[in-house]
Amino acid sequence: MASSTSTPVPTRRSVTVLAGGVGGGRFARGVRHLARQQDLDVTVVVNTGDDLWLTGLRVCPDLDSVMYALADANDTERGWGRAGESERVSAELTAYGVGWPWFTLGDLDLGTHIARTAMLRDGDDLTRATARLAARWALDVTLLPVTDDEVPTLVDVDRPDGTRDRIHFEEWWVRHRAAIPTHGFVQQGVERASVSAAAAAAIRGADVVLLAPSNPVVSIGTMLGVPGVREALAAARGPVVGVAPVIGGRPVRGMADVCCAVVGVEATAAGIARHYGARRDGGLLDAWLVDEVDADSAAELQRDGLRTRAVPLWMTDDDATADMARAALALGLEARGA
Ligand code: FO1
């Protein structure tokens, strides 16, 4: 009797990325570019702290930034919203005094918000609605909100008259450009929230988990604040590798330095690594990637026991970003082998 020696089919390796909006979308494109070369399954778990109800619609800025970037449908100049956008409906909304005149909802972008709101009203949770929206674009990547619960990031600020106010993150970020006295960030309702089952499984089960070079406070930090996320990272069977969001002490994009100052984190490659902490000390990281200009901090972190590598971190195009992802995966596998 011939013995059936079924050669085990190698299971595809999986990578889960935790990401915010603009930087997250660009990084996700690079990971996908690599995945297509190395036959990897990619899941991107995205921050939902920026999400809000506006003009009766559910707007999810970071999920949309990542989705549009992966769909090649994003406005690469502005860094958010759709390419080839128009603003006819937005002008009508402003004329009616509905919504925020300083927060532009483009016509194509409104299509996404209307579709998402319709799906939510149909009874879909955000995970399901996100999957349905993403299916239209055939992204080759699974897109997951970090939670299905509404946990808006609010910001405690001083009004011009000196009194305190608590405003939505998007008002702080877009209307005020973070240029008002700021006391802290609050995740409203976080105590009643939990990481989604799909996101927790994607983090626990991945061969490697990557922290995108997103804002360590209001993107990655906000996700870490959702109950269950830290536990999922601690229980992750794969190594957790972070990518520094600052190069030479300056944020690659956005306002990581402003946000770090608000919460007292040193906005450097070493400062953020220490803020995330080494996994073996109860923190997040098995390894950390810094840019070559921060090679000295790499040596310093390595001495402190955090496996660190200095590689080019400018996400100038998909190839450059894929090289970053490749270095992160290699460092992660090295860390796990150790
Ligand atoms: N950013 C702006 O600077 N100005 C805007 O008018 C604006 C509108 C907007 C509408 C929908 C959306 O999903 C994002 C939008 N953004 C806008 C970007 C948004 O502030 C950022 O994508 C993130 O929230 C910050 O990471």
Side-chain angles (χ1 to χ4, degrees):
M1 163 103 76
S3 67
S4 66
T5 52
S6 61
T7 47
V9 176
T11 49
R12 285 163 59 97
R13 285 192 302 155
S14 62
V15 181
T16 293
V17 183
L18 269 66
V22 180
R26 190 163 296 169
F27 185 67
R29 285 181 58 90
V31 177
R32 179 181 62 182
H33 194 59
L34 176 70
R36 285 169 172 163
Q37 299 161 12
Q38 295 195 358
D39 217 15
L40 299 172
D41 284 329
V42 180
T43 298
V44 185
V45 176
V46 183
N47 170 45
T48 54
D50 302 1
D51 298 3
L52 71 159
W53 286 101
L54 194 61
T55 70
L57 300 172
R58 190 66 182 159
V59 177
C60 301
D62 282 356
L63 277 165
D64 291 346
S65 284
V66 176
M67 181 169 72
Y68 293 157
L70 287 168
D72 250 338
N74 61 321
D75 180 325
T76 49
E77 260 64 55
R78 292 191 306 188
W80 53 271
R82 289 283 295 275
E85 188 57 281
S86 53
E87 295 166 15
R88 297 188 67 194
V89 175
S90 173
E92 288 298 288
L93 292 171
T94 300
Y96 285 119
V98 168
W100 285 336
W102 37 268
F103 191 81
T104 306
L105 296 172
D107 296 325
L108 299 177
D109 198 31
L110 279 164
T112 302
H113 309 318
I114 293 166
R116 175 186 294 117
T117 304
M119 293 169 183
L120 294 172
R121 289 203 188 295
D122 284 351
D124 284 358
D125 58 23
L126 186 58
T127 298
R128 177 90 188 101
T130 302
R132 289 173 66 187
L133 294 171
R136 169 225 171 140
W137 303 101
L139 303 179
D140 252 359
V141 162
T142 301
L143 213 46
L144 297 174
V146 67
T147 176
D148 288 320
D149 300 313
E150 292 184 14
V151 186
T153 299
L154 306 182
V155 191
D156 285 336
V157 298
D158 286 346
R159 293 191 182 91
D161 66 4
T163 56
R164 278 292 176 95
D165 197 2
R166 179 166 282 185
I167 59 178
H168 189 278
F169 172 80
E170 290 295 354
E171 181 165 3
W172 181 74
W173 187 266
V174 176
R175 188 180 197 180
H176 300 294
R177 292 281 170 227
I180 53 174
T182 304
H183 301 282
F185 302 103
V186 173
Q187 293 183 258
Q188 189 181 60
V190 72
E191 62 287 341
R192 293 185 303 279
S194 67
V195 62
S196 73
I203 293 168
R204 289 172 183 273
D207 289 296
V208 184
V209 178
L210 303 180
L211 302 187
S214 297
N215 190 306
V217 180
V218 295
S219 292
I220 303 293
T222 302
M223 288 195 274
L224 295 174
V226 175
V229 171
R230 282 185 178 275
E231 291 80 355
L233 284 165
R237 70 184 186 85
V240 177
V241 185
V243 180
V246 293
I247 294 178
R250 295 204 39 70
V252 175
R253 243 195 113 106
M255 292 180 259
D257 46 349
V258 175
C259 299
C260 283
V262 171
V263 297
V265 171
E266 183 198 298
T268 61
I272 292 164
R274 292 205 171 86
H275 175 60
Y276 286 157
R279 191 168 176 187
R280 62 183 214 179
D281 305 334
L284 306 173
L285 300 174
D286 290 298
W288 182 243
L289 274 190
V290 302
D291 187 78
E292 290 166 324
V293 298
D294 294 310
D296 54 334
S297 69
E300 183 193 324
L301 289 166
Q302 185 80 20
R303 273 197 305 279
D304 291 354
L306 177 60
R307 188 178 298 273
T308 307
R309 189 71 32 85
V311 299
L313 287 189
W314 286 104
M315 299 188 281
T316 47
D317 58 26
D318 288 347
D319 283 327
T321 313
D323 288 343
M324 285 164 57
R326 188 181 289 108
L329 291 192
L331 197 56
L333 297 178
E334 196 185 293
R336 186 169 62 180

